[in-house]
């Protein structure tokens, strides 16, 4: 058994978190991860209304009695979602852990803490993690440059970012980006983290909502087959390399602005990829770690072999390097 500050404070059996992923973080996946001893996370804004989110949480709770989390991504938009209503739905459903991401979580923390909910905030830099601790979050998930989605603009990989963060923080730190197996889990713990967060790896388990052809593409792809889009716009995102993402990169490099590419990168097109398996229907998030993924197990099989493998590495392989 691997016990860390994260497992103790957040009440989770294993120090493994399923990242909150738009269109992917649904009841079946989150429940399967939590039931296997990790922390499964339902993505709030995948659900079109707070009422739908409440119903999705209830579906997951029918599948497991283990702790579940909800991701609430706070985005700068012209017409922001009704965050107060989403918060109430989370609390009324009895959720005890929320993963926040995007903008400063400070306005949301008092409500969550008043309802006994711990806050795990996703960051891409040490300075933002330090600020998150100061405003009262209970833990941070630190995303290295390898991650899918938005890696920030500093381009600091996990091997540097994780220890740079853990030496500055006193709250639990979850390492995210580039982790797919027991080797990544042990490495993260060695760098000072209290657990790991995996997105791409949990996209490619049997309980994941996405189409089998997308999962197979993740298995077949190498670590070199991603694109960084939106770089000239200072809103970098790592996505799968396909016809659409390659075109977006070319257009932006030639001076195009967001209005010229917005139809290509629409979120509904990425959802179509996940639902239909048409890999070129739109842009879709995936991390460099796809190059380490070789199968599509159940969530339980993945978590159990990661924990067992990590214990073996720590006790046997690493222990063998130490001499009297």
């Amino acid at each position: 058994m691997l016990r860390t500050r994260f497992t103790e404070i957040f009440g989770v059996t294993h120090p493994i978190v399923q990242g909150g992923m738009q269109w992917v973080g649904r009841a079946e996946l989150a429940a399967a991860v939590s039931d296997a001893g990790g922390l499964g996370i339902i993505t709030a804004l995948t659900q079109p209304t707070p009422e739908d989110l409440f119903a999705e949480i209830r579906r997951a709770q029918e599948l497991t009695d283990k702790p579940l989390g909800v991701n609430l991504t706070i985005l700068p938009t012209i017409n922001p979602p009704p965050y107060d209503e989403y918060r109430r739905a989370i609390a009324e459903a009895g959720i005890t852990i929320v993963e926040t991401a995007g903008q400063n979580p400070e306005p949301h923390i008092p409500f969550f803490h008043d309802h006994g909910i711990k806050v795990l905030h996703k960051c891409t830099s040490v300075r933002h993690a330090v600020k998150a601790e100061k405003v009262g979050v209970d833990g941070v998930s630190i995303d290295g440059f390898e991650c899918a989605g938005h890696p920030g603009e500093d381009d600091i990989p996990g091997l540097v970012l994780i220890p740079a963060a853990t030496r500055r923080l006193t709250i639990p730190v979850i390492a995210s980006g580039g982790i797919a197996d027991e080797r990544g889990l042990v490495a993260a713990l060695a760098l000072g983290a209290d657990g790991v967060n995996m997105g791409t790896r949990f996209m490619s388990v049997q309980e994941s909502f996405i189409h089998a052809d997308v999962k197979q593409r993740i298995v077949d792809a190498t670590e070199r087959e991603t694109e960084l889009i939106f770089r000239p716009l200072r809103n970098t995102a790592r996505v799968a390399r396909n016809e659409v993402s390659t075109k977006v990169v070319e257009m932006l490099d030639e001076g195009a602005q967001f209005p010229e590419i917005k139809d290509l990168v629409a979120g509904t097109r990425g959802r179509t990829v996940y639902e239909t398996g048409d890999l070129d229907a739109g842009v879709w998030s995936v991390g460099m770690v796809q190059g380490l993924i070789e199968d599509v197990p159940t969530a339980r099989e993945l978590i159990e072999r990661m924990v067992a493998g990590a214990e073996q590495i720590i006790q046997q392989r690493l222990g063998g390097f130490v001499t009297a």
Side-chain angles (χ1 to χ4, degrees), residues 232 249-258 260:
V249 170
E250 291 173 352
M251 290 177 66
L252 289 173
D253 286 346
E254 292 170 359
Q257 297 301 308
F258 185 75
E260 299 168 72

Side-chain angles (χ1 to χ4, degrees), residues 171-246:
I171 55 178
V173 174
I174 301 300
S176 182
I179 299 164
D181 56 25
E182 61 270 19
R183 296 168 298 180
L185 173 55
V186 172
L189 297 176
L191 293 170
D194 300 284
V196 297
N197 176 298
M198 302 189 300
T200 302
R201 174 68 271 198
F202 279 121
M203 288 172 66
S204 45
V205 297
Q206 292 181 22
E207 297 89 350
S208 170
F209 155 81
I210 64 176
H211 195 280
D213 288 350
V214 181
K215 298 177 186 180
Q216 189 59 48
R217 176 55 184 160
I218 292 172
V219 170
D220 294 339
T222 72
E223 64 276 7
R224 299 179 66 241
E225 295 175 78
T226 68
E227 293 278 9
L228 292 171
I229 61 174
F230 306 150
R231 297 235 86 182
L233 305 179
R234 302 290 294 172
N235 188 30
T236 301
R238 187 179 299 283
V239 299
R241 179 176 296 160
N242 64 7
E243 293 177 2
V244 181
S245 63
T246 300

Side-chain angles (χ1 to χ4, degrees), residues 52-288:
D52 289 311
L53 173 60
F54 184 87
E56 189 75 0
I57 294 170
R58 283 287 186 247
R59 286 207 309 120
Q61 290 169 334
E62 291 174 357
L63 298 172
T64 183
D65 58 0
K66 302 291 182 62
L68 290 158
V70 171
N71 167 278
L72 186 64
T73 297
I74 309 154
L75 300 171
T77 59
I78 295 174
N79 298 305
Y83 287 117
D84 56 340
E85 295 177 27
Y86 276 101
R87 288 197 308 261
R88 284 198 295 272
I90 291 167
E92 289 172 4
I95 290 294
T96 57
I97 302 170
V98 165
E99 176 192 66
T100 53
Q103 292 185 310
N104 185 355
E106 185 173 8
H108 302 267
I109 293 174
F111 176 90
F112 288 134
H113 282 176
D114 286 347
H115 289 81
I117 300 170
K118 289 184 169 56
V119 178
L120 181 68
H121 186 61
K122 185 178 290 293
C123 307
T124 60
S125 69
V126 175
R127 61 188 181 280
H128 292 151
V130 170
K131 176 65 180 298
E133 179 173 17
K134 287 181 179 178
V135 302
V137 303
D138 303 284
V140 297
S141 177
I142 193 87
D143 281 14
F145 181 61
E146 308 93 329
C147 73
H150 293 280
E153 305 302 320
D154 293 346
D155 297 357
I156 308 298
L159 196 62
V160 173
L161 186 61
I162 298 166
T166 57
R167 72 179 181 182
R168 296 280 305 277
L169 301 171
T170 62
I171 55 178
V173 174
I174 301 300
S176 182
I179 299 164
D181 56 25
E182 61 270 19
R183 296 168 298 180
L185 173 55
V186 172
L189 297 176
L191 293 170
D194 300 284
V196 297
N197 176 298
M198 302 189 300
T200 302
R201 174 68 271 198
F202 279 121
M203 288 172 66
S204 45
V205 297
Q206 292 181 22
E207 297 89 350
S208 170
F209 155 81
I210 64 176
H211 195 280
D213 288 350
V214 181
K215 298 177 186 180
Q216 189 59 48
R217 176 55 184 160
I218 292 172
V219 170
D220 294 339
T222 72
E223 64 276 7
R224 299 179 66 241
E225 295 175 78
T226 68
E227 293 278 9
L228 292 171
I229 61 174
F230 306 150
R231 297 235 86 182
L233 305 179
R234 302 290 294 172
N235 188 30
T236 301
R238 187 179 299 283
V239 299
R241 179 176 296 160
N242 64 7
E243 293 177 2
V244 181
S245 63
T246 300
K247 183 176 181 179
V248 169
V249 170
E250 291 173 352
M251 290 177 66
L252 289 173
D253 286 346
E254 292 170 359
Q257 297 301 308
F258 185 75
E260 299 168 72
I261 63 167
K262 68 176 184 177
D263 292 337
L264 289 172
V265 301
T268 52
R269 293 185 61 164
R271 182 177 185 174
T272 298
V273 173
Y274 294 143
E275 291 179 347
T276 68
D278 181 352
L279 300 173
D280 289 307
V283 296
W284 51 284
S285 294
V286 74
M288 298 170 74

